[in-house]
Amino acid sequence: MTTTFDHAALAALLQAIPDPVVVVGADATLRWANDRAEQAFGWRLADLQGGPLVPFVHPDDLETALLSLESVAKKETGTLIEIRVRRGDGSYAPVEIRGAPCCSADLPDAVILVARETTDRRRWELGAGDTDLLAAILDAAPTVTLLLDRGGAIQGASRALTRQLHRGLEQTLGLPLVDLVAPADRDAVAALVASCDGTQGTRSIEAGLLAVDGHVVPMSLTLVDLVSDAVVRGIVVGASDISDLVEARSTLHHRANHDDLTGLPNRTHLLRRLSEVLDRDDAQPHTLLFCDVDRLKPVNDRHGHRAGDALLVEVA
């Protein structure tokens, strides 16, 4: 079925195309652009129409763009090229452009160009197309990344391992992950590693990792089971330092269970400890000692509450 569009409908269709569409004269001047081009590149058509487009092409790509523009007039469809186009804010957008000669008598010697931004596609292609860049990003990341074989031995590590645990890669390769784990957490981590059976699930745990000098760095570990993956054939571990979080938790727990002034266990802590003692099935007698500070009120009245607080701290 053939459908005939009037002038207004054709214009509306051009504006609805999701990619930038630009009409360029043989002299590389802008004749027309759709709304998407204005949105994508931050242009104002009213300011640019009739003006040269050369300033909007990256200098390193200019020769490619001009040669392609010249050759399009002799082809039914031009060759796809990649260039960088300057946006209104001065930044450059990587785009793919394909052109074709205009068939309109109103635009003789003009070329219609369809552009497609490649920024989003390049983000997805990073891992497949630029190994060096991906490796540089991985090494710069603050999270430790480890590759384990299916038995839990370390096969590779990012540089964050050295920055955070001061461990050299050469001295770490081949070691079981559990050798880097604080003794109190080893059984739990070992069980998590053993559970990676190729089902490609994700497992998480908090555990301490041992630095070279023996101090423990609290970490949040995420294990990604890629044992059955044809490329990885192992377990990818991401480890993030959670020292600040652990310290904050400890501070909050202490404040919830201790008196702010004296630092002694508060009523909540006392009642819980009493309950634990009374619930023991050991038939042992227990003693509760109650101490009071006599005549504290006169101290507060005569010397102020600050002195009274100091007295309580001293007694505590």
Side-chain angles (χ1 to χ4, degrees):
M1 181 180 68
T2 302
T3 303
T4 302
F5 293 98
D6 59 25
H7 211 71
L10 287 171
L13 284 172
L14 280 171
Q15 295 292 7
I17 292 175
D19 291 322
V21 178
V22 178
V23 178
V24 181
D27 56 355
T29 57
L30 178 65
R31 304 293 181 83
W32 181 85
N34 66 353
D35 291 343
R36 178 56 188 154
E38 292 189 285
Q39 296 164 6
F41 304 128
W43 296 349
R44 290 189 65 231
L45 181 58
D47 297 338
L48 301 179
Q49 195 163 11
L53 283 178
V54 169
F56 291 90
V57 179
H58 193 284
D60 293 342
D61 301 334
L62 184 56
E63 184 176 2
T64 299
L66 292 176
L67 288 174
S68 178
L69 180 62
E70 182 180 347
S71 67
V72 167
K74 304 171 186 177
K75 300 178 180 179
E76 183 177 344
T77 303
T79 303
L80 186 70
I81 64 170
E82 287 194 34
I83 63 172
R84 288 158 289 182
V85 176
R86 184 163 64 85
R87 298 186 178 99
D89 62 4
S91 63
Y92 284 92
V95 297
E96 292 176 339
I97 294 180
R98 190 186 296 275
C102 275
C103 301
S104 172
D106 297 330
L107 295 167
D109 301 323
V111 173
I112 182 168
L113 304 174
V114 178
R116 174 161 294 177
E117 293 184 78
T118 62
T119 305
D120 290 338
R121 178 171 61 77
R122 286 180 179 275
R123 291 193 186 105
W124 286 102
E125 291 179 348
L126 176 62
D130 200 331
T131 304
D132 291 340
L133 179 58
L134 184 61
I137 292 171
L138 191 64
D139 278 339
T143 302
V144 177
T145 302
L146 303 171
L147 174 62
L148 313 181
D149 64 18
R150 65 185 307 152
I154 298 171
Q155 303 300 301
S158 64
R159 294 184 189 276
L161 178 74
T162 301
R163 291 195 300 270
Q164 297 191 29
L165 301 181
H166 307 290
R167 290 183 175 274
L169 182 61
E170 293 78 9
Q171 293 76 37
T172 306
L173 289 179
L175 290 178
L177 173 63
V178 292
D179 284 7
L180 273 61
V181 177
D185 300 322
R186 282 179 184 168
D187 288 345
V189 172
L192 210 63
V193 171
S195 72
C196 293
D197 54 4
T199 55
Q200 298 197 347
T202 300
R203 299 145 174 84
S204 298
I205 191 173
E206 290 184 8
L209 295 188
L210 296 171
V212 168
D213 62 4
H215 84 272
V216 176
V217 180
M219 292 276 193
S220 173
L221 304 181
T222 300
L223 282 66
V224 183
D225 180 3
L226 296 176
V227 169
S228 63
D229 183 89
V231 177
V232 180
R233 299 184 183 277
I235 304 164
V236 176
V237 180
S240 300
D241 186 343
I242 56 172
S243 298
D244 292 342
L245 176 61
V246 170
E247 183 178 354
R249 284 179 186 163
S250 177
T251 299
L252 288 174
H253 183 269
H254 187 273
R255 287 180 177 176
N257 292 277
H258 294 78
D259 177 62
D260 285 340
L261 177 63
T262 63
L264 293 177
N266 60 13
R267 182 190 298 269
T268 300
H269 187 93
L270 171 65
L271 293 177
R272 184 172 64 251
R273 290 290 292 121
L274 282 174
S275 179
E276 291 172 356
V277 168
L278 293 175
D279 287 343
R280 289 176 186 167
D281 189 19
D282 55 10
Q284 294 295 319
H286 303 289
T287 301
L288 177 65
L289 177 66
F290 177 81
C291 298
D292 193 12
V293 179
D294 292 335
R295 300 185 57 77
L296 179 62
K297 187 176 184 301
V299 174
N300 286 328
D301 292 344
R302 170 176 272 185
H303 302 287
H305 286 278
R306 182 172 297 179
D309 287 348
L311 174 60
L312 288 175
V313 171
E314 187 66 24
V315 172

